[in-house]
Amino acid sequence: MTSKKPVAPLASRNGVAPSRVWCPPGPWSLLIEFLLERFPHVPRADLERRLGCGDIVAEDGQTLHLHSVYQPQRWLWYFREVAAEVAVPFELTILHEDHALIAVDKPHFLATTPGGQYLYETALTRVRQFFDDVQIAPLHRLDRETAGVLLFSRSIPYRGVYQQLFQQGAIYKCYEAIAPVTSTLALPFTQTSRIEPVPNKFVMQQVAGLPNSCTHIRLRQQWQDEQGQCWGHYALEPETGRKHQLRIHLSSLGIPIVNDKFYPVLQAPVAADDFSAPLQLLARRIAFTDPITGQRRQFDSQRRLACLPLT
């Protein structure tokens, strides 16, 4: 397979770029046979319909059909389909935009990039649609459940320069969370641990070994509810960016974030249109020295965690 990045023969569609799949050598005579094996989760009727409509094309732009012969060593291009994608009824706010960088304030429940059951209801697709620019790409990610500041690259020549800031730990990030307060944890506190994926699952876990994650934890405010439970408004400053790092660190300390459906115990999924219990985690601030201009940049979320008491 060539290492050169293939050029899509299809233009973007409503802010969504086409997807591709590589055709390796194999025993298939017809293209449909390969597609059925490559995409076992897609019903045969759907694949036949898409081939019948000419929705799948070869790398030279040739339209492929139901009886097309399988040809290896080439790319196929298509647009992903998501059945009955649920609309996320919350606005994504543009905080800043220039020729190289875009900062947005992402709401809860909006995925950063397309994947799984989310295609158009993502921050990336909304930003691409707003600026009419399919070249825009995320510089980092926030969980679908997490709200707050999210950065995008607007210029391909500068993209790698900004990405290096994240890789080098040169980005200051401050999050806020609502979680229980316990008398057994002296604050401020720095939690370090080794975080690794749970095999064949979406969640992560802490394991023995050299730490690869670090989070500084401070308590900004605390209060009691009517049942006498003590809650805290925490400031979290991660030095690293492991998947689910903040959620795992607080859960491991006995103070899981309010409305966390993954930690400490994975709960049954809720309906896709249930927006009643947002995870109480907010990416409040991102700051860094711009490698292009040399200026200090700071972007702050304008959102407020729903469980904070009114003052």
Side-chain angles (χ1 to χ4, degrees):
M1 185 188 308
T2 178
S3 60
K4 184 178 179 181
K5 184 177 181 179
V7 177
L10 299 171
S12 62
R13 182 184 296 173
N14 296 326
V16 175
S19 298
R20 68 180 188 265
V21 61
W22 177 251
C23 295
W28 311 282
S29 299
L30 296 176
L31 177 61
I32 183 64
E33 298 171 352
F34 163 71
L35 294 176
L36 288 169
E37 185 171 324
R38 178 62 178 80
F39 301 105
H41 58 286
V42 178
R44 183 186 186 103
D46 287 351
L47 290 173
E48 291 181 345
R49 171 183 58 80
R50 301 200 65 183
L51 285 170
C53 294
D55 283 350
I56 302 174
V57 304
E59 57 192 9
D60 60 0
Q62 175 191 2
T63 300
L64 301 172
H65 302 284
L66 183 58
H67 300 293
S68 292
V69 174
Y70 181 76
Q71 297 181 32
Q73 305 293 344
R74 66 174 179 172
W75 290 101
L76 303 181
W77 293 85
Y78 63 97
F79 284 96
R80 288 183 58 239
E81 290 184 349
V82 174
E85 185 174 4
V86 174
V88 178
F90 309 110
E91 292 295 324
L92 180 145
T93 305
I94 306 298
L95 298 173
H96 169 86
E97 63 97 2
D98 59 34
H99 70 285
L101 194 67
I102 297 170
V104 306
D105 203 353
K106 187 183 83 68
H108 296 286
F109 302 108
L110 191 68
T112 296
T113 57
Q117 59 184 317
Y118 308 107
L119 183 60
Y120 292 101
E121 293 298 313
T122 70
L124 176 59
T125 302
R126 289 192 186 183
V127 170
R128 284 178 169 177
Q129 290 173 342
F130 183 85
F131 290 100
D132 190 23
D133 185 358
V134 75
Q135 298 297 328
I136 293 172
L139 290 171
H140 61 122
R141 282 170 170 75
L142 292 178
D143 294 341
R144 174 179 175 267
E145 298 85 359
T146 304
V149 181
L150 182 63
L151 301 183
F152 292 87
S153 165
R154 181 167 201 177
S155 172
I156 293 177
Y158 296 144
R159 186 171 302 162
V161 179
Y162 285 115
Q163 288 175 333
Q164 285 182 3
L165 294 180
F166 286 91
Q167 296 166 359
Q168 296 168 355
I171 301 282
Y172 170 79
K173 293 175 285 186
C174 183
Y175 290 71
E176 296 178 10
I178 307 297
V181 171
T182 173
S183 60
T184 60
L185 178 63
L187 295 169
F189 184 80
T190 296
Q191 173 72 333
T192 60
S193 67
R194 184 164 192 83
I195 296 177
E196 299 287 353
V198 176
N200 303 316
K201 292 188 178 180
F202 181 73
V203 295
M204 307 290 283
Q205 63 182 340
Q206 292 189 141
V207 299
L210 187 68
N212 61 3
S213 63
C214 177
T215 304
H216 303 290
I217 305 168
R218 294 183 289 109
L219 183 62
R220 299 181 58 180
Q221 177 187 0
Q222 68 180 72
W223 66 94
Q224 283 190 341
D225 61 20
E226 295 178 352
Q227 289 73 42
Q229 170 67 52
C230 192
W231 299 98
H233 179 201
Y234 292 88
L236 312 174
E237 297 172 321
E239 288 190 8
T240 53
R242 300 292 170 180
K243 176 181 174 181
H244 295 175
Q245 175 177 319
L246 303 180
R247 301 164 74 165
I248 290 176
H249 277 176
L250 265 63
S251 177
S252 69
L253 295 171
I255 50 172
I257 299 173
V258 172
N259 296 333
D260 194 339
K261 302 297 191 295
F262 289 176
Y263 306 96
V265 178
L266 182 63
Q267 302 178 27
V270 299
D273 59 353
D274 184 351
F275 306 112
S276 61
L279 177 72
Q280 294 299 281
L281 180 61
L282 174 68
R284 171 61 68 191
R285 174 174 296 170
I286 283 182
F288 58 93
T289 299
D290 194 301
I292 299 171
T293 66
Q295 297 177 336
R296 188 64 179 171
R297 299 264 204 173
Q298 179 174 306
F299 304 110
D300 291 271
S301 172
Q302 305 304 306
R303 301 182 185 277
R304 184 179 187 277
L305 291 171
C307 289
L308 270 175
L310 297 176
T311 55

